[in-house]
Amino acid sequence: MLLYPKPMSHVDLSIQLHQKLFAWWSTQGRILPWREKISMEIDQAPAVDENSFREHIFATYFASSARRDPYRVVVAEMMLQQTQVDRVFQRYQAWMKKWPTVEDLAQANLSDVIIFWQGLGYNRRARFLWLLAKQITQERHGIWPTTESELRKLPGIGKYTARAVMSFAFGMQVGVVDTNVKRILQRVVDGDASDTQKSEEYYFQLADTFLPQEKADPWNQSLMDFGALICTAKRPKCEICPLQEVCQANLGARRKSFLNYADFLSWQSKQPNSQIVPKKSIPQFKDTDRFFRGRIIDQLRVNSLELRKLQNIMEHEFGLHDETRFAKLIRSLVQEGLITQEKNQVQLA
């Protein structure tokens, strides 16, 4: 009869997680430009040996005196929202060359910022960054807030991004919970990733529980990498996972005679499920307001347009035949400050 470990206390589990994940992260963690400390400039990264660069990066992560510019953290976090890392990598570097400081961004034209943002998702995030830069430089005289409540008063900053700034820029002891981290907590700690009843606040509190002393920055980054590379949503790599002997979801699957949690997920995906929404009932992205808003902005990135001409383009090239819907989209973009309309002419703000 096979015996499996009983669920650990949070204290014991914390010790195991810290040892195993930090060991994994030091050799497998992602090297990303927005993670560099201010002691090494972004354009130095491609010129150094990868092993030496990795050693530098991970050494500075554990040096309590090494901090990052909160502006760089915010730009990266805004870009990464619902956008793949591969798409952000070069755009982030280009952004930093164009507007290297928050003061540079504050002096930029909003239209230039929106033009640059093409391909990075919601255009209002570009405006949020621009407004944030204005507020930091003009209203706060270059001084960044350091508390969660004050950071969340900045344009476009929610709980996650506020805590990301606190941890990654200021080295504060706070948990940062994105989709990857939440999934790890659900599986490793709670033993079930399908429980949707627990609140967002619950997972932030749980993340705080597992913080290693004075190492929140590298810990939060290691969790994010682990969720992106190993503990993935649909096909977790349980067979090579360094946490497989302490992960409650994995141990639970093995108690049910599955090889591991990934094996259980594979079996589960093949079971009949009456709650699955038929694909035909899910709107196609090209039929959503988000898609049409993006295409309107794309047209105006090139030049200002007469309203009727823009409507014709949207109808014949993108299938937006509803005049009322088009007018509503234009009004919403004007109200959000992304475009301006003067009589029958529209352009980027």
Side-chain angles (χ1 to χ4, degrees), residues 36 61 71 77 126 134 138 168 181 224 259 291 339 343:
E36 296 173 30
Y61 263 98
Y71 168 64
E77 294 300 336
K134 293 279 190 185
Q138 296 176 6
F168 305 150
V181 174
M224 291 178 175
L259 293 176
F291 172 80
I339 68 174
K343 296 183 179 179

Side-chain angles (χ1 to χ4, degrees), residues 113-165:
V113 177
I114 295 174
I115 289 171
F116 181 97
W117 199 260
Q118 185 172 14
L120 287 173
Y122 290 107
N123 289 288
R124 61 172 174 265
R125 295 204 298 264
R127 181 170 179 268
F128 284 150
L129 273 173
W130 181 76
L131 289 173
L132 180 150
K134 293 279 190 185
Q135 189 167 326
I136 291 293
T137 57
Q138 296 176 6
E139 298 178 23
R140 301 186 63 89
H141 309 291
I143 305 300
W144 285 78
T146 57
T147 66
E148 182 178 329
S149 60
E150 288 299 310
L151 282 164
R152 292 185 67 173
K153 293 178 182 178
L154 297 174
I157 303 296
K159 187 178 185 69
Y160 163 80
T161 306
R163 283 181 160 234
V165 173

